């Protein structure tokens, strides 16, 4: 049964993860089918991007944009990296597609009465920041910054300050949710439960790429430590009944740069079915 009441009792947290985020689009489409509209949505990287179509109530759009266009060279590939400095065609994804191929409903976004928070990483401070775009004007800029992966993307300037992927500084912003006043949260993961991130060991490369930003280099080098600590806190919150986690099953052979539409569509369907199986729990938990 559909609910028409906004869900104000819990925050909705959307993890990043590149193309693994297609799982999230399935979860969000189930929520739209059921009329589950959270009053507070915070997203990181791909999670922030997919939240856009959820907030504008455009069921299926996030899946279409990512699954149906992912094989095109303008969407992602090394040609983009050579031509533009970014592996992902962010201009194509956030300008060409919304304006020409699969229009984004800016008016619907602006009617949203809840909060939409986008996590970005400041290169100068190495710290996370939490942007809340309110209108169509400038809406995509912080999302592009949040989706700009280190090493394969150019920094994005917001108010003259360079930013990259929000997941570098805060991959799982559960502390921000608590600071914003929420005792409970529904968390959509893109990695299976039990996953922990290993150390990358690329500090020399990070220094070579971002030597002008030593604090950012340190943040990037220690990303796994903060991420794993956040996962430990999330496990504790779940044990206390304060977090409801929706996570995919292991997906062997599928990574953050996947571009096989069949694999991605399978992941989308998993998101649909996994969220449908816990739909009543989500409603009771988040009301």
């Amino acid at each position: 049964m559909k609910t028409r009441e906004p869900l104000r009792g819990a925050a909705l947290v959307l993890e990043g993860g590149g193309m693994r985020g297609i799982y999230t689009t399935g979860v969000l489409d189930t929520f739209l089918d059921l009329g589950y509209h959270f009053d507070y949505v915070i997203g990181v990287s791909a999670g922030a991007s997919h939240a856009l179509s959820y907030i504008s109530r455009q069921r299926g759009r996030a899946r279409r944009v990512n699954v149906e266009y992912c094989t095109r060279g303008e969407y992602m590939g090394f040609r983009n990296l050579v031509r533009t400095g970014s592996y992902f065609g962010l201009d194509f994804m956030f300008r060409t597609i919304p304006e020409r191929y699969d229009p984004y409903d800016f008016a619907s976004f602006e009617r949203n009465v809840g909060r939409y928070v986008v996590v970005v990483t400041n290169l100068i401070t190495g710290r996370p920041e939490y942007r809340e775009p309110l209108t169509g004007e400038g809406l995509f800029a912080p999302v592009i910054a949040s989706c700009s992966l280190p090493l394969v993307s150019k920094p994005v300037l917001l108010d003259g300050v360079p930013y990259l992927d929000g997941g570098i500084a805060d991959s799982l912003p559960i502390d921000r949710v608590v600071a914003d006043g929420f005792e409970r949260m529904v968390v959509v993961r893109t990695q299976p439960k039990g996953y922990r991130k290993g150390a990358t060991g690329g500090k020399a490369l990070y220094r070579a790429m971002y030597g002008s930003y030593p604090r950012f280099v340190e943040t990037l080098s220690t990303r796994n430590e903060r991420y794993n600590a956040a996962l430990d806190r999330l496990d504790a919150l779940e044990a206390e009944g304060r977090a409801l986690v929706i996570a995919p099953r292991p997906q062997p052979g599928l990574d953050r740069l996947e571009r096989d539409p069949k694999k991605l569509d399978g992941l989308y369907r998993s998101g649909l079915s996994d969220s449908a199986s816990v739909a009543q729990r989500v409603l009771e938990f988040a009301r």
Side-chain angles (χ1 to χ4, degrees):
M1 178 182 294
K2 273 197 172 189
T3 177
R4 296 184 182 276
E5 303 172 14
L7 299 179
R8 297 193 171 102
L12 178 61
V13 183
L14 306 177
E15 185 179 17
M19 300 305 289
R20 291 193 304 269
I22 299 301
Y23 178 81
T24 303
T25 69
V27 175
L28 296 179
D29 278 353
T30 292
F31 288 172
L32 287 176
D33 288 341
L34 297 170
Y36 291 7
H37 304 309
F38 285 77
D39 233 20
Y40 178 107
V41 181
I42 185 168
V44 183
S45 194
S49 174
H50 300 327
L52 287 167
S53 295
Y54 170 72
I55 292 171
S56 66
R57 312 294 194 255
Q58 290 178 272
R59 197 245 189 240
R61 183 182 179 277
R63 177 210 161 273
R64 292 194 304 272
V65 167
N66 291 276
V67 175
E68 296 180 10
Y69 290 93
C70 70
T71 59
R72 294 180 59 156
E74 309 102 299
Y75 183 96
M76 64 175 164
F78 287 103
R79 181 179 295 180
N80 282 335
L81 188 61
V82 172
R83 289 176 54 207
T84 70
S86 294
Y87 182 84
F88 282 94
L90 296 171
D91 189 73
F92 177 71
M93 294 162 64
F94 289 99
R95 293 189 177 89
T96 304
I97 292 177
E99 292 175 6
R100 293 175 53 192
Y101 299 135
D102 203 321
Y104 185 71
D105 191 340
F106 290 96
S108 179
F109 174 88
E110 292 184 13
R111 286 194 296 271
N112 178 56
V113 296
R115 293 177 64 186
Y116 167 52
V117 185
V118 178
V119 186
V120 293
T121 301
N122 184 315
L123 267 69
I124 296 172
T125 66
R127 301 283 299 167
E129 293 183 12
Y130 306 90
R131 298 286 180 125
E132 297 191 42
L134 300 176
T135 67
E137 184 178 354
L139 170 60
F140 291 153
V143 183
I144 292 171
S146 190
C147 291
S148 294
L149 303 178
L151 305 180
V152 294
S153 299
K154 293 189 303 184
V156 175
L157 295 179
L158 302 177
D159 304 319
V161 177
Y163 293 86
L164 280 173
D165 178 9
I168 298 165
D170 194 358
S171 297
L172 205 60
I174 58 177
D175 289 343
R176 179 68 183 197
V177 168
V178 174
D180 279 347
F182 286 87
E183 290 296 321
R184 290 177 292 164
M185 60 193 78
V186 174
V187 181
V188 183
R189 300 282 317 282
T190 56
Q191 291 282 10
K193 288 189 176 183
Y195 171 83
R196 291 296 185 274
K197 185 182 289 293
T200 59
K203 197 165 186 177
L205 176 59
Y206 302 154
R207 285 199 191 102
M209 288 286 292
Y210 304 109
S212 300
Y213 306 107
R215 292 178 181 175
F216 177 77
V217 169
E218 187 61 29
T219 298
L220 187 55
S221 302
T222 56
R223 178 182 185 181
N224 67 303
E225 298 172 14
R226 287 187 310 284
Y227 181 56
N228 293 339
L231 289 173
D232 291 341
R233 291 196 296 278
L234 180 60
D235 286 347
L237 289 172
E238 189 175 20
E240 294 168 9
R242 294 173 55 195
L244 193 160
V245 180
I246 303 173
R249 295 176 292 278
Q251 305 284 332
L254 191 150
D255 62 29
R256 66 187 300 131
L257 299 181
E258 183 61 59
R259 60 191 309 172
D260 182 337
K262 289 184 179 179
K263 289 183 180 180
L264 294 173
D265 211 42
L267 189 58
Y268 168 77
R269 291 195 300 272
S270 293
L272 285 175
S273 62
D274 289 353
S275 51
S277 70
V278 296
Q280 187 60 35
R281 284 181 58 207
V282 170
L283 180 60
E284 294 169 358
F285 180 83
R287 264 183 166 162

PDB file of all heavy atoms in Angstrom, residues 129-147:
ATOM      1  N   GLU A 129      32.648  18.390   3.317  1.00  0.00           N
ATOM      2  CA  GLU A 129      31.674  19.464   3.452  1.00  0.00           C
ATOM      3  C   GLU A 129      30.332  18.926   2.971  1.00  0.00           C
ATOM      4  O   GLU A 129      30.264  17.961   2.204  1.00  0.00           O
ATOM      5  CB  GLU A 129      32.088  20.700   2.650  1.00  0.00           C
ATOM      6  CG  GLU A 129      33.340  21.368   3.198  1.00  0.00           C
ATOM      7  CD  GLU A 129      33.724  22.635   2.449  1.00  0.00           C
ATOM      8  OE1 GLU A 129      32.894  23.118   1.639  1.00  0.00           O
ATOM      9  OE2 GLU A 129      34.845  23.120   2.662  1.00  0.00           O
ATOM     10  N   TYR A 130      29.276  19.564   3.433  1.00  0.00           N
ATOM     11  CA  TYR A 130      27.931  19.045   3.214  1.00  0.00           C
ATOM     12  C   TYR A 130      27.088  20.148   2.580  1.00  0.00           C
ATOM     13  O   TYR A 130      26.655  21.083   3.243  1.00  0.00           O
ATOM     14  CB  TYR A 130      27.341  18.561   4.538  1.00  0.00           C
ATOM     15  CG  TYR A 130      28.254  17.565   5.216  1.00  0.00           C
ATOM     16  CD1 TYR A 130      29.231  18.000   6.117  1.00  0.00           C
ATOM     17  CD2 TYR A 130      28.188  16.206   4.922  1.00  0.00           C
ATOM     18  CE1 TYR A 130      30.102  17.101   6.717  1.00  0.00           C
ATOM     19  CE2 TYR A 130      29.055  15.299   5.518  1.00  0.00           C
ATOM     20  CZ  TYR A 130      30.009  15.756   6.408  1.00  0.00           C
ATOM     21  OH  TYR A 130      30.883  14.863   6.996  1.00  0.00           O
ATOM     22  N   ARG A 131      26.910  20.044   1.272  1.00  0.00           N
ATOM     23  CA  ARG A 131      26.197  21.067   0.508  1.00  0.00           C
ATOM     24  C   ARG A 131      24.715  20.716   0.415  1.00  0.00           C
ATOM     25  O   ARG A 131      24.355  19.547   0.296  1.00  0.00           O
ATOM     26  CB  ARG A 131      26.792  21.174  -0.894  1.00  0.00           C
ATOM     27  CG  ARG A 131      28.269  21.591  -0.929  1.00  0.00           C
ATOM     28  CD  ARG A 131      28.409  23.056  -0.600  1.00  0.00           C
ATOM     29  NE  ARG A 131      29.778  23.518  -0.607  1.00  0.00           N
ATOM     30  CZ  ARG A 131      30.214  24.544  -1.336  1.00  0.00           C
ATOM     31  NH1 ARG A 131      29.392  25.200  -2.146  1.00  0.00           N
ATOM     32  NH2 ARG A 131      31.477  24.924  -1.263  1.00  0.00           N
ATOM     33  N   GLU A 132      23.866  21.751   0.417  1.00  0.00           N
ATOM     34  CA  GLU A 132      22.424  21.545   0.313  1.00  0.00           C
ATOM     35  C   GLU A 132      21.860  22.419  -0.801  1.00  0.00           C
ATOM     36  O   GLU A 132      21.307  23.497  -0.547  1.00  0.00           O
ATOM     37  CB  GLU A 132      21.736  21.847   1.639  1.00  0.00           C
ATOM     38  CG  GLU A 132      22.175  20.926   2.770  1.00  0.00           C
ATOM     39  CD  GLU A 132      21.305  21.049   4.007  1.00  0.00           C
ATOM     40  OE1 GLU A 132      20.065  21.138   3.858  1.00  0.00           O
ATOM     41  OE2 GLU A 132      21.867  21.062   5.118  1.00  0.00           O
ATOM     42  N   PRO A 133      21.995  21.984  -2.066  1.00  0.00           N
ATOM     43  CA  PRO A 133      21.427  22.773  -3.167  1.00  0.00           C
ATOM     44  C   PRO A 133      19.909  22.813  -3.069  1.00  0.00           C
ATOM     45  O   PRO A 133      19.257  21.793  -2.850  1.00  0.00           O
ATOM     46  CB  PRO A 133      21.889  22.008  -4.416  1.00  0.00           C
ATOM     47  CG  PRO A 133      22.179  20.621  -3.937  1.00  0.00           C
ATOM     48  CD  PRO A 133      22.642  20.751  -2.521  1.00  0.00           C
ATOM     49  N   LEU A 134      19.348  23.997  -3.230  1.00  0.00           N
ATOM     50  CA  LEU A 134      17.920  24.186  -2.993  1.00  0.00           C
ATOM     51  C   LEU A 134      17.114  24.408  -4.260  1.00  0.00           C
ATOM     52  O   LEU A 134      15.908  24.201  -4.269  1.00  0.00           O
ATOM     53  CB  LEU A 134      17.709  25.381  -2.044  1.00  0.00           C
ATOM     54  CG  LEU A 134      18.355  25.252  -0.663  1.00  0.00           C
ATOM     55  CD1 LEU A 134      18.159  26.545   0.122  1.00  0.00           C
ATOM     56  CD2 LEU A 134      17.760  24.081   0.094  1.00  0.00           C
ATOM     57  N   THR A 135      17.747  24.881  -5.327  1.00  0.00           N
ATOM     58  CA  THR A 135      17.015  25.195  -6.549  1.00  0.00           C
ATOM     59  C   THR A 135      17.724  24.603  -7.754  1.00  0.00           C
ATOM     60  O   THR A 135      18.854  24.111  -7.649  1.00  0.00           O
ATOM     61  CB  THR A 135      16.904  26.721  -6.757  1.00  0.00           C
ATOM     62  OG1 THR A 135      18.212  27.259  -7.008  1.00  0.00           O
ATOM     63  CG2 THR A 135      16.308  27.400  -5.542  1.00  0.00           C
ATOM     64  N   GLY A 136      17.066  24.681  -8.903  1.00  0.00           N
ATOM     65  CA  GLY A 136      17.661  24.162 -10.122  1.00  0.00           C
ATOM     66  C   GLY A 136      18.941  24.864 -10.510  1.00  0.00           C
ATOM     67  O   GLY A 136      19.850  24.268 -11.077  1.00  0.00           O
ATOM     68  N   GLU A 137      19.043  26.148 -10.199  1.00  0.00           N
ATOM     69  CA  GLU A 137      20.234  26.900 -10.546  1.00  0.00           C
ATOM     70  C   GLU A 137      21.416  26.419  -9.695  1.00  0.00           C
ATOM     71  O   GLU A 137      21.419  26.537  -8.480  1.00  0.00           O
ATOM     72  CB  GLU A 137      20.010  28.393 -10.311  1.00  0.00           C
ATOM     73  CG  GLU A 137      21.195  29.257 -10.744  1.00  0.00           C
ATOM     74  CD  GLU A 137      20.928  30.730 -10.538  1.00  0.00           C
ATOM     75  OE1 GLU A 137      19.781  31.091 -10.162  1.00  0.00           O
ATOM     76  OE2 GLU A 137      21.850  31.518 -10.734  1.00  0.00           O
ATOM     77  N   GLY A 138      22.406  25.855 -10.358  1.00  0.00           N
ATOM     78  CA  GLY A 138      23.571  25.362  -9.637  1.00  0.00           C
ATOM     79  C   GLY A 138      23.365  24.021  -8.954  1.00  0.00           C
ATOM     80  O   GLY A 138      24.225  23.580  -8.190  1.00  0.00           O
ATOM     81  N   LEU A 139      22.236  23.356  -9.227  1.00  0.00           N
ATOM     82  CA  LEU A 139      21.929  22.096  -8.552  1.00  0.00           C
ATOM     83  C   LEU A 139      22.986  21.030  -8.790  1.00  0.00           C
ATOM     84  O   LEU A 139      23.399  20.327  -7.867  1.00  0.00           O
ATOM     85  CB  LEU A 139      20.561  21.585  -9.021  1.00  0.00           C
ATOM     86  CG  LEU A 139      20.156  20.166  -8.616  1.00  0.00           C
ATOM     87  CD1 LEU A 139      20.109  20.039  -7.099  1.00  0.00           C
ATOM     88  CD2 LEU A 139      18.808  19.806  -9.229  1.00  0.00           C
ATOM     89  N   PHE A 140      23.438  20.891 -10.034  1.00  0.00           N
ATOM     90  CA  PHE A 140      24.311  19.768 -10.368  1.00  0.00           C
ATOM     91  C   PHE A 140      25.766  19.972  -9.950  1.00  0.00           C
ATOM     92  O   PHE A 140      26.508  19.004  -9.824  1.00  0.00           O
ATOM     93  CB  PHE A 140      24.263  19.488 -11.873  1.00  0.00           C
ATOM     94  CG  PHE A 140      22.953  18.926 -12.348  1.00  0.00           C
ATOM     95  CD1 PHE A 140      22.533  19.130 -13.648  1.00  0.00           C
ATOM     96  CD2 PHE A 140      22.142  18.185 -11.500  1.00  0.00           C
ATOM     97  CE1 PHE A 140      21.332  18.605 -14.098  1.00  0.00           C
ATOM     98  CE2 PHE A 140      20.938  17.659 -11.931  1.00  0.00           C
ATOM     99  CZ  PHE A 140      20.525  17.866 -13.245  1.00  0.00           C
ATOM    100  N   ALA A 141      26.203  21.215  -9.749  1.00  0.00           N
ATOM    101  CA  ALA A 141      27.631  21.464  -9.492  1.00  0.00           C
ATOM    102  C   ALA A 141      28.165  20.681  -8.296  1.00  0.00           C
ATOM    103  O   ALA A 141      29.202  20.006  -8.406  1.00  0.00           O
ATOM    104  CB  ALA A 141      27.888  22.962  -9.329  1.00  0.00           C
ATOM    105  N   PRO A 142      27.525  20.718  -7.122  1.00  0.00           N
ATOM    106  CA  PRO A 142      28.057  19.936  -6.009  1.00  0.00           C
ATOM    107  C   PRO A 142      27.962  18.436  -6.242  1.00  0.00           C
ATOM    108  O   PRO A 142      28.798  17.669  -5.739  1.00  0.00           O
ATOM    109  CB  PRO A 142      27.207  20.378  -4.812  1.00  0.00           C
ATOM    110  CG  PRO A 142      25.987  20.977  -5.387  1.00  0.00           C
ATOM    111  CD  PRO A 142      26.379  21.554  -6.701  1.00  0.00           C
ATOM    112  N   VAL A 143      26.964  18.003  -7.005  1.00  0.00           N
ATOM    113  CA  VAL A 143      26.842  16.571  -7.308  1.00  0.00           C
ATOM    114  C   VAL A 143      27.982  16.128  -8.223  1.00  0.00           C
ATOM    115  O   VAL A 143      28.581  15.061  -8.033  1.00  0.00           O
ATOM    116  CB  VAL A 143      25.477  16.262  -7.939  1.00  0.00           C
ATOM    117  CG1 VAL A 143      25.338  14.758  -8.174  1.00  0.00           C
ATOM    118  CG2 VAL A 143      24.346  16.769  -7.063  1.00  0.00           C
ATOM    119  N   ILE A 144      28.313  16.949  -9.203  1.00  0.00           N
ATOM    120  CA  ILE A 144      29.454  16.651 -10.074  1.00  0.00           C
ATOM    121  C   ILE A 144      30.726  16.555  -9.245  1.00  0.00           C
ATOM    122  O   ILE A 144      31.546  15.652  -9.435  1.00  0.00           O
ATOM    123  CB  ILE A 144      29.581  17.716 -11.175  1.00  0.00           C
ATOM    124  CG1 ILE A 144      28.403  17.623 -12.148  1.00  0.00           C
ATOM    125  CG2 ILE A 144      30.901  17.562 -11.933  1.00  0.00           C
ATOM    126  CD1 ILE A 144      28.326  18.762 -13.146  1.00  0.00           C
ATOM    127  N   ALA A 145      30.905  17.485  -8.298  1.00  0.00           N
ATOM    128  CA  ALA A 145      32.080  17.438  -7.429  1.00  0.00           C
ATOM    129  C   ALA A 145      32.098  16.151  -6.622  1.00  0.00           C
ATOM    130  O   ALA A 145      33.138  15.483  -6.497  1.00  0.00           O
ATOM    131  CB  ALA A 145      32.088  18.645  -6.497  1.00  0.00           C
ATOM    132  N   SER A 146      30.952  15.773  -6.076  1.00  0.00           N
ATOM    133  CA  SER A 146      30.877  14.567  -5.260  1.00  0.00           C
ATOM    134  C   SER A 146      31.166  13.310  -6.066  1.00  0.00           C
ATOM    135  O   SER A 146      31.670  12.325  -5.531  1.00  0.00           O
ATOM    136  CB  SER A 146      29.488  14.456  -4.617  1.00  0.00           C
ATOM    137  OG  SER A 146      29.456  13.433  -3.654  1.00  0.00           O
ATOM    138  N   CYS A 147      30.856  13.344  -7.367  1.00  0.00           N
ATOM    139  CA  CYS A 147      31.060  12.185  -8.244  1.00  0.00           C
ATOM    140  C   CYS A 147      32.437  12.166  -8.917  1.00  0.00           C
ATOM    141  O   CYS A 147      32.732  11.236  -9.677  1.00  0.00           O
ATOM    142  CB  CYS A 147      29.990  12.169  -9.326  1.00  0.00           C
ATOM    143  SG  CYS A 147      28.325  11.803  -8.743  1.00  0.00           S
TER     144      CYS A 147
END
